[in-house]
Amino acid sequence: MNTQTQSDSLLDGLNHKQLEAVTLPQQSALILAGAGSGKTRVLTTRIAWLIQTGQVSPNGLLAVTFTNKAAKEMLTRLTAMLPINTRGMWTGTFHGLCNRLLRAHHREALLPATFQILDTADQLSAIKRVMKLMNVDDEKYPPKQVMGYINSCKEEGLRAHSVDAYDAHSQRMREIFEEYDKQCQREGVVDFAELLLRCYELLSRDNNIRQHYQSRFKYILVDEFQDTNRLQYLWLKLLAGQDNCIFAVGDDDQSIYAFRGARVGNMRDFEQDFHVEKIVKLEQNYRSHSNILDAANAIITHNRNRLGKNLWTAAGKGEPVRVYEAYNDIDEANFIVEEIQSLHRDGMDLSDIAMLYRSNAQSRVIEHALFSAGLAYRVYGGLRFFERAEIKHSLAYMRLMANPDDDTALLRVINFPTRGIGARSLEQLQEVARQQGGSLWQAALHATGKIANFVTLIKQMQEEAIGISLPEVAELATTLSGLKTFYQNEKEGEDRVANLEELVSAATAFMNQDIGMSVDENGEVAQSLLTQFLGHASLEAGEHQADAGRDALQLMTVHAAKGLEFKSVFISGLEEGLCPHEQSLYEANGLEEERRLMYVAVTRARERLYLSYAQSRLLHGQVRYGIPSRFLDEIPEELMKRLNARPVSKPMTQTFTPSNSQSNAMPWRIGQNVAHGKFGQGVVVSYEGNANDLRVQVNFKGEGLKWLALEYAKLEAL
């Protein structure tokens, strides 16, 4: 087979736009590749075509991916296309390629030949050592927060001396950064962010090395270009120089990693900096039916700062987008489970179905419904609710409140959050317990110093837990322990804090179930309620072990779903404040990023798409009334099929007006002064619900407005 025939066979089956992208002449180009448009095929075929037509040797091009998995897939496809040895090719992630370059030029980079790479845990440990030597207060400067600061600076291409410091706090952070850099240099180690920064600095200052690689890599191909950060883009610019071509493949509508430093503006900068004459738009979708694509197009069109494209398919309209309005989050979860069971009965594998949500905390209600229905499921890219570290920490504190002799719980949290109890102290405590033949708690009762302080904390929790409801016990475990404050100080601790707050909702939901709890003559729920809740949490956490290897439903956040596809997709929690997330309204371009998230979520579905929202939802242990997400309003009505008649909803601001019979059941009047064991003094401002589900809203002096279920509130008149 001659070269012309071989190159023609490579191009077989490409559509018009794919063919145009693959066979572009030697020039920098931007390929706007929509969801499901075959971007991996285009990128790989472009490489094969350049090699096959003799325009470049395998060693003369550089291909950058965002994951090792993507790099391996690219090389596997290339090997199938061409009879070449791909081992010498420079294909990999930014970090992998920079590591390769630094190994080759370690002296010029001022690194030892055997330099080691710190993973996240090692980096955190190194930062803690630096801070200890500097006598830095790790409560005022949490090590994880410091790590996030250092990495963010490096990803912007900044060393400590280049970072602005406006006050004493930022000045101290800069000093820690500087000392950390010195320590890493002395020890001959680099963290992940350092790999790229050190490589960029080397290329910037060493003309010979820079020119060597610029003359070698005439073609640079970049996957997922919309996810590049500032430093990655600057690194690419250095390698490209004035004469080389960058073939950038990406989708600005799927740029959803701003919180990791991704800069969607790099695509606009690339157009200008490289004088891009050709933007090829891959708009034909090979994944979804047109009703799904039309819904996605309608949503994303509302974003102003986009390059613009419109997905289409030859696969036909398919089924309408199904929309379900639930009365509350439990109703929503039950509906989803029933639909999944129906799809499964009709022959669809559970693994072909995905359940998507905006934030991890939303999975808890869905997980409980799936657990109750006996449906196997997996949390993709994460842990089940009751397996998450922050939840296990909280439950450990609750276990100690119920039974302080629980050694496993004690060991989990005796030094978390950090309170200065080291390994040596724990060894001594365990030795005392062994000699006494008792629990660690019994040994700790006679300890001094920081262990004694921990004992005092647990005793305080036990005392404050007397006479309060289970949700209040859960909140006590997250706050008095210091867990919530600890995670609030983490750079990306928002999800963990949301999970801690969802634990309070889990406790409230558990109380509201008809589970036959014993009640004493004063109407108090028996002591065993906490124990039963802890048992319930353990069961839900451990049940999935039997699911290993089974066909299972996929649960995940929208962020985790990027790059995946399923026959049927459920997107839940489509209410203002959840999706779009309320925080996005206070961030520059935050709403546009949320809309891109919704676009990514919708385009995961191949055949059937379900969108659901609830009129009320239990959040942080309290009922919250919501309104449908604006994204639902952006979808044309003719694309949707509403699965239920719109129920009569309660307005968010509605105040309950009791009938005579309900008035007798309501012991509080509006304007009445009351006291609560945890929140202190307050004034009743409204109440709502019916005789079986009365809730009162109280404006507390120190805590603000709180909705409390009367059945458990334990208010006292003043």
Side-chain angles (χ1 to χ4, degrees):
M1 188 182 293
N2 60 39
T3 302
Q4 180 63 46
T5 305
Q6 287 178 322
S7 62
D8 287 346
S9 66
L10 284 176
L11 307 178
D12 287 346
L14 297 178
N15 67 37
H16 173 68
K17 285 295 181 181
Q18 289 174 336
L19 180 64
E20 181 183 1
V22 166
T23 58
L24 282 171
Q26 186 175 2
Q27 63 186 53
S28 288
L30 178 60
I31 313 302
L32 271 186
S37 63
K39 73 174 179 63
T40 304
R41 182 183 183 187
V42 166
L43 193 59
T44 310
T45 308
R46 170 71 171 173
I47 295 172
W49 183 77
L50 288 171
I51 295 171
Q52 188 66 60
T53 55
Q55 297 181 60
V56 67
S57 71
N59 294 333
L61 53 79
L62 181 82
V64 189
T65 63
F66 263 80
T67 65
N68 288 315
K69 180 182 176 183
K72 288 177 183 176
E73 182 184 351
M74 183 181 292
L75 290 174
T76 300
R77 290 195 185 196
L78 271 174
T79 304
M81 287 179 174
L82 295 174
I84 60 170
N85 185 351
T86 60
R87 292 187 65 182
M89 286 183 62
W90 280 57
T91 301
T93 64
F94 281 100
H95 292 124
L97 294 170
C98 286
N99 176 51
R100 186 170 178 175
L101 197 149
L102 290 174
R103 295 285 176 193
H105 305 283
H106 62 89
R107 289 190 187 87
E108 294 86 348
L110 308 178
L111 288 169
T114 57
F115 74 84
Q116 298 299 306
I117 301 170
L118 300 176
D119 62 20
T120 303
D122 291 336
Q123 184 186 13
L124 185 61
S125 178
I127 288 169
K128 287 177 179 176
R129 284 192 286 118
V130 168
M131 291 173 62
K132 190 171 183 179
L133 289 171
M134 294 176 68
N135 294 316
V136 176
D137 182 353
D138 61 6
E139 290 189 5
K140 189 174 180 182
Y141 299 89
K144 282 194 176 180
Q145 195 176 60
V146 174
M147 182 168 71
Y149 165 81
I150 291 172
N151 291 340
S152 293
C153 290
K154 288 185 177 184
E155 286 167 3
E156 286 293 315
L158 301 174
R159 290 289 180 195
H161 61 81
S162 303
V163 179
D164 291 329
Y166 301 102
D167 53 26
H169 186 272
S170 55
Q171 175 68 34
R172 193 60 167 159
M173 292 281 272
R174 187 169 68 179
E175 290 169 359
I176 299 169
F177 181 7
E178 193 166 14
E179 286 304 313
Y180 166 75
D181 258 2
K182 290 177 182 176
Q183 176 179 283
C184 289
Q185 187 63 35
R186 284 195 304 271
E187 297 177 2
V189 296
V190 297
D191 54 50
F192 284 118
E194 181 71 19
L195 282 170
L196 191 62
L197 180 55
R198 184 71 66 110
C199 189
Y200 171 75
E201 290 172 339
L202 172 63
L203 292 172
S204 296
R205 69 171 180 266
D206 195 309
N207 291 333
N208 291 332
I209 293 176
R210 184 175 67 253
Q211 288 171 8
H212 166 74
Y213 285 103
Q214 285 177 348
S215 63
R216 174 174 179 172
F217 298 131
K218 291 300 181 185
Y219 288 90
I220 299 172
L221 302 97
V222 189
D223 193 14
E224 304 287 7
F225 190 75
Q226 77 280 349
D227 292 335
T228 53
N229 63 31
R230 174 176 166 76
L231 184 58
Q232 288 164 342
Y233 178 61
L234 293 176
W235 182 80
L236 288 168
K237 279 182 68 177
L238 267 184
L239 275 177
Q242 297 296 315
D243 303 320
N244 298 335
C245 301
I246 289 184
F247 185 84
V249 181
D251 183 1
D252 58 329
D253 290 334
Q254 294 189 73
S255 179
I256 59 173
Y257 294 118
F259 67 97
R260 292 183 190 167
R263 187 172 173 271
V264 69
N266 284 347
M267 299 185 91
R268 291 283 189 189
D269 291 347
F270 173 65
E271 271 192 272
Q272 296 176 4
D273 295 343
F274 286 83
H275 310 292
V276 173
E277 298 176 5
K278 197 69 182 177
I279 296 180
V280 180
K281 297 181 180 181
L282 305 182
E283 297 173 299
Q284 184 173 359
N285 176 284
Y286 293 93
R287 176 187 301 161
S288 311
H289 289 128
S290 68
N291 278 336
I292 293 170
L293 296 181
D294 290 347
N297 289 331
I299 292 167
I300 202 64
T301 301
H302 288 77
N303 272 5
R304 295 178 181 176
N305 301 316
R306 58 190 294 260
L307 295 168
K309 64 182 181 315
N310 205 54
L311 295 179
W312 63 277
T313 181
K317 285 188 173 297
E319 301 180 29
V321 176
R322 290 163 165 81
V323 180
Y324 183 78
E325 179 175 15
Y327 173 68
N328 58 26
D329 48 352
I330 296 173
D331 176 29
E332 179 188 43
N334 289 336
F335 160 74
I336 290 168
V337 167
E338 288 169 6
E339 284 294 314
I340 290 169
Q341 289 173 321
S342 175
L343 290 170
H344 191 45
R345 282 194 300 271
D346 290 343
M348 188 176 292
D349 289 342
L350 290 175
S351 57
D352 281 331
I353 307 171
M355 174 72 249
L356 309 186
Y357 34 80
R358 172 62 181 83
S359 62
N360 268 309
Q362 289 173 246
S363 78
R364 200 267 312 165
V365 178
I366 304 288
E367 286 188 57
H368 179 67
L370 292 167
F371 172 78
S372 300
L375 277 173
Y377 70 92
R378 295 189 187 92
V379 178
Y380 181 89
L383 297 169
R384 293 180 172 215
F385 182 79
F386 285 112
E387 292 177 332
R388 294 166 191 166
E390 59 276 17
I391 298 302
K392 294 180 79 170
H393 290 327
S394 289
L395 292 173
Y397 280 108
M398 294 171 75
R399 284 163 60 182
L400 289 174
M401 282 186 249
N403 172 25
D405 291 319
D406 185 335
D407 284 358
T408 304
L410 186 143
L411 285 171
R412 183 176 188 91
V413 296
I414 192 170
N415 196 41
F416 194 91
T418 307
R419 47 180 63 91
I421 300 173
R424 180 63 184 147
S425 297
L426 286 178
E427 287 172 8
Q428 292 171 344
L429 185 67
Q430 288 171 310
E431 180 60 26
V432 171
R434 188 187 65 79
Q435 291 174 0
Q436 294 177 346
S439 67
L440 293 175
W441 174 257
Q442 295 302 321
L445 289 173
H446 306 289
T448 58
K450 291 173 180 175
I451 290 179
N453 293 340
F454 176 73
V455 169
T456 301
L457 171 65
I458 299 303
K459 286 183 174 179
Q460 182 186 353
M461 285 182 159
Q462 289 175 317
E463 290 170 7
E464 293 196 20
I466 296 172
I468 65 174
S469 67
L470 181 61
E472 290 170 320
V473 171
E475 188 159 347
L476 187 70
T478 66
T479 53
L480 196 57
S481 64
L483 285 172
K484 186 175 284 190
T485 301
F486 173 81
Y487 289 118
Q488 283 171 338
N489 288 327
E490 280 197 316
K491 183 188 176 189
E492 294 179 14
E494 182 183 320
D495 258 6
R496 295 188 185 273
V497 172
N499 283 331
L500 291 177
E501 291 172 340
E502 183 60 24
L503 182 63
V504 180
S505 295
T508 304
F510 185 76
M511 285 187 69
N512 290 341
Q513 292 174 13
D514 183 14
I515 50 179
M517 291 297 171
S518 57
V519 178
D520 63 24
E521 67 254 9
N522 297 316
E524 297 282 340
V525 179
Q527 180 74 29
S528 63
L529 179 56
L530 174 56
T531 304
Q532 292 188 49
F533 175 68
L534 292 169
H536 156 78
S538 297
L539 282 173
E540 284 211 13
E543 185 74 15
H544 76 287
Q545 292 173 4
D547 292 344
R550 290 174 59 191
D551 177 38
L553 174 75
Q554 308 294 304
L555 268 65
M556 66 195 76
T557 63
V558 181
H559 280 106
K562 187 169 178 291
L564 304 177
E565 58 182 76
F566 304 90
K567 283 185 179 178
S568 292
V569 169
F570 292 79
I571 308 173
S572 67
L574 291 178
E575 298 128 44
E576 289 290 305
L578 280 179
C579 183
H581 194 279
E582 57 192 352
Q583 193 61 39
S584 68
L585 303 177
Y586 306 105
E587 298 171 349
N589 301 315
L591 186 57
E592 294 220 343
E593 176 114 347
E594 290 292 304
R595 191 172 278 110
R596 291 195 291 269
L597 266 173
M598 184 65 183
Y599 175 83
V600 166
V602 168
T603 53
R604 299 311 94 197
R606 295 205 299 266
E607 298 174 6
R608 189 176 286 196
L609 175 65
Y610 293 85
L611 309 177
S612 63
Y613 59 99
Q615 294 179 19
S616 68
R617 190 174 295 276
L618 195 61
L619 289 172
H620 321 329
Q622 297 175 32
V623 176
R624 165 170 146 176
Y625 293 93
I627 58 175
S629 168
R630 69 190 68 194
F631 301 148
L632 288 166
D633 293 334
E634 293 171 359
I635 301 174
E637 196 66 33
E638 62 269 18
L639 300 177
M640 298 189 288
K641 177 182 180 182
R642 297 192 179 272
L643 298 180
N644 54 338
R646 184 177 179 85
V648 178
S649 61
K650 303 171 189 171
M652 294 178 68
T653 57
Q654 177 179 335
T655 299
F656 173 73
T657 305
S659 65
N660 290 335
S661 61
Q662 290 168 326
S663 184
N664 293 334
M666 168 57 71
W668 313 110
R669 68 180 187 278
I670 292 176
Q672 185 171 2
N673 293 315
V674 293
H676 185 272
K678 176 176 176 58
F679 302 131
Q681 295 184 5
V683 179
V684 176
V685 294
S686 69
Y687 41 91
E688 65 181 16
N690 54 46
N692 299 317
D693 182 28
L694 284 169
R695 290 176 289 276
V696 61
Q697 188 180 39
V698 182
N699 190 6
F700 291 103
K701 289 181 179 178
E703 300 286 338
L705 288 170
K706 298 281 185 184
W707 279 105
L708 303 173
L710 276 187
E711 187 177 356
Y712 311 115
K714 295 183 176 63
L715 293 173
E716 294 180 6
L718 292 178

